Amino acid sequence: MKIGFLGLGKMGRGMAACLLEAGHEVTVWNRTSGRADELLALGASEAATPAEAAQGAGAVFAMVADDDASTRCWLAEDGATGAMPADALLIECSTISHAQSARLAETARARSLTYLDCPVNGPPAGARKGELVLLLGAAPEDLERARPLLEAISKSILHFGPVGTGTAYKLINNLLGAVHISAMAEAAVLAGQYGIDVDAMVEAIRTGPIASPHTIRMSRPMLEGRPADSFALAIGLREKDARYCLGMAEAAGIGMPVGASAHGWYAQATPRHGSEDDSLLLETVAGRTGPD
């Protein structure tokens, strides 16, 4: 299939490479130049605008940072939706707000396009290996139509319901991550004050009832007062995701005070550490007694 791919960050480059290796004809676009070299070597073409990348495409993917970037890709004057042929697949993989997902779905309907709400779980290395977990919100028939493309970039496809449910779950998931990491940072600071053995605490966390991928990954570096060995999610991106989730909860009339407290730590940490791995949240937590 002829595919447009918008956004060539760490995740997008890997996803586009998998689509090329699956035999698709891929045209890529990125807001800043210089990120397409690996993909061009694999046979991709590079477009000057999202509209150019989408011209004649049977499907267009986007993997960008936030609502503003998503709007730039799809809805700007030279955005992709204005150039996509009727019945093409609009596959938004970015972690955007629920309100933005609804706007894109409405635009897709108005232009006779098929919208799939498709945020992802997994690190950049997983994106390059085609091992992401896709969090789908879509009509069942639309998911089946897109499945051959989605399987090229994933090891698992989880279908949560109609359009919007994939994004809703992704935001809940990332707020839960913020809660886990914030709690681990607070625990690490307290454990240090009481001289708890690091090796023993790491093993207790790994084998105990509070184990989660986040607490296991963060326990040793935070207890040792250093960054994690591998980059997962930037502090600024998790702050954005947590904020979007709290906005979704507010729109539903639901209070989330635990989530709001975790977001408070991330909001404090973002100005200094926004582009760094969220294990660096420890520095903010260690320097203050509580989030604003």
Side-chain angles (χ1 to χ4, degrees):
M1 184 182 289
K2 182 178 170 66
I3 295 172
F5 201 101
L6 314 175
L8 302 180
K10 294 177 182 178
M11 298 291 289
R13 287 198 301 274
M15 294 163 70
C18 289
L19 291 166
L20 284 161
E21 290 169 350
H24 299 290
E25 179 185 348
V26 181
T27 301
V28 300
W29 172 85
N30 194 64
R31 181 178 57 85
T32 56
S33 60
R35 291 188 173 179
D37 291 350
E38 174 194 353
L39 300 172
L40 297 177
L42 291 173
S45 301
E46 187 170 14
T49 66
E52 184 181 328
Q55 190 70 44
V60 181
F61 289 78
M63 187 55 156
V64 294
D66 55 22
D67 284 5
D68 289 343
S70 174
T71 297
R72 168 68 187 93
C73 286
W74 299 113
L75 305 178
E77 185 176 348
D78 61 354
T81 56
M84 294 169 67
D87 207 34
L89 298 167
L90 190 167
I91 305 175
E92 177 57 277
C93 297
S94 317
T95 303
I96 55 176
S97 71
H98 195 264
Q100 173 73 357
S101 180
R103 282 192 290 271
L104 293 178
E106 180 58 33
T107 299
R109 283 191 293 269
R111 296 181 181 271
S112 299
L113 305 172
T114 299
Y115 180 73
L116 283 86
D117 180 36
C118 184
V120 311
N121 274 347
R128 184 61 186 89
K129 294 176 182 177
E131 296 178 350
L132 296 174
V133 176
L134 307 185
L135 313 174
L136 259 294
E141 62 273 18
D142 296 337
L143 171 54
E144 290 312 306
R145 183 176 155 217
R147 188 177 292 275
L149 299 177
L150 302 178
E151 287 179 342
I153 62 172
S154 68
K155 65 178 180 181
S156 177
I157 298 171
L158 302 178
H159 186 205
F160 290 89
V163 165
T165 57
T167 287
Y169 172 74
K170 174 64 173 180
L171 295 175
I172 292 168
N173 177 83
N174 281 16
L175 181 62
L176 280 170
V179 170
H180 284 209
I181 295 165
S182 298
M184 187 63 244
E186 292 179 351
V189 172
L190 185 61
Q193 291 295 311
Y194 280 85
I196 293 175
D197 182 82
V198 169
D199 290 337
M201 185 165 173
V202 168
E203 182 63 12
I205 288 170
R206 186 186 69 81
T207 59
I210 55 136
S212 73
H214 283 310
T215 54
I216 291 171
R217 175 177 175 270
M218 295 296 186
S219 58
R220 183 170 294 280
M222 284 188 170
L223 288 165
E224 293 178 351
R226 60 175 177 82
D229 295 326
S230 60
F231 192 97
L233 185 63
I235 283 174
L237 291 179
R238 196 177 294 278
E239 183 281 324
K240 175 263 302 181
D241 296 347
R243 175 165 34 90
Y244 285 172
C245 187
L246 293 171
M248 187 172 69
E250 183 178 3
I254 295 172
M256 299 187 77
V258 174
S261 179
H263 173 258
W265 283 126
Y266 278 86
Q268 287 184 38
T270 292
R272 182 176 178 185
H273 299 293
S275 63
E276 298 175 284
D277 181 79
D278 55 3
S279 58
L280 267 295
L281 187 71
L282 177 68
E283 291 194 10
T284 297
V285 174
R288 298 179 65 93
T289 57
D292 292 337

